[in-house]
Amino acid sequence: QVQLVESGGGSVQAGGSLRLSCAASGRTGSRYWMAWFRQAPGKEREGVAGIYNDGSTAYVESVKGRFTITKDNADNSLYLQMNSLKPEDTAMYYCAAETRRYYGSDSWSFGPRYNFWGQGTQVTVSS
């Protein structure tokens, strides 16, 4: 089992910044993709940013240039630096990990790829 615990959410004004953290514990073992997803009320869950075990990254178009995903293998942590936040970034943000190879899709943002999820941290951006 792997436990993922997010932190760092909060309320900010548009243009502000937040840094989300995700601490992984348990049988972390091999991890392929790790990612941040978000879900706003009434909307589908959306992949925000992903990072592969070789360090390569991917982002949804709407956050490119504003968000940066990083990881620290030494302490099993995943981060999401969010700058120039917009009201449309308001959502619950979830950390997700793929610990067994998933062959059902090539897309990093395909939710079923990930077999472990955190409980989420709320991000609210006011205009």
Side-chain angles (χ1 to χ4, degrees):
Q1 288 293 324
V2 172
Q3 293 78 44
L4 302 175
V5 180
E6 303 95 336
S7 61
S11 297
V12 297
Q13 289 192 324
S17 298
L18 285 173
R19 187 186 192 221
L20 305 184
S21 299
C22 173
S25 61
R27 292 177 175 260
T28 52
S30 297
R31 279 170 286 166
Y32 301 96
W33 282 98
M34 290 194 74
W36 289 96
F37 284 76
R38 66 186 179 187
Q39 187 166 23
K43 295 188 176 181
E44 292 189 356
R45 183 179 59 193
E46 171 186 52
V48 176
I51 186 165
Y52 194 57
N53 62 6
D54 66 357
S56 55
T57 59
Y59 298 89
V60 68
E61 190 65 33
S62 61
V63 308
K64 285 181 180 178
R66 300 188 298 122
F67 291 10
T68 304
I69 186 171
T70 57
K71 62 177 180 173
D72 186 333
N73 291 328
D75 66 3
N76 285 327
S77 293
L78 182 72
Y79 303 97
L80 185 68
Q81 178 65 45
M82 305 187 295
N83 298 328
S84 302
L85 283 161
K86 303 176 180 180
E88 51 263 43
D89 295 318
T90 295
M92 185 71 79
Y93 284 70
Y94 300 91
C95 170
E98 176 193 17
T99 64
R100 72 334 179 212
R101 178 75 73 171
Y102 181 77
Y103 296 97
S105 170
D106 290 333
S107 174
W108 67 270
S109 62
F110 188 60
R113 164 179 300 282
Y114 301 90
N115 54 325
F116 289 102
W117 294 79
Q119 293 299 307
T121 186
Q122 178 67 38
V123 171
T124 303
V125 185
S126 58
S127 57

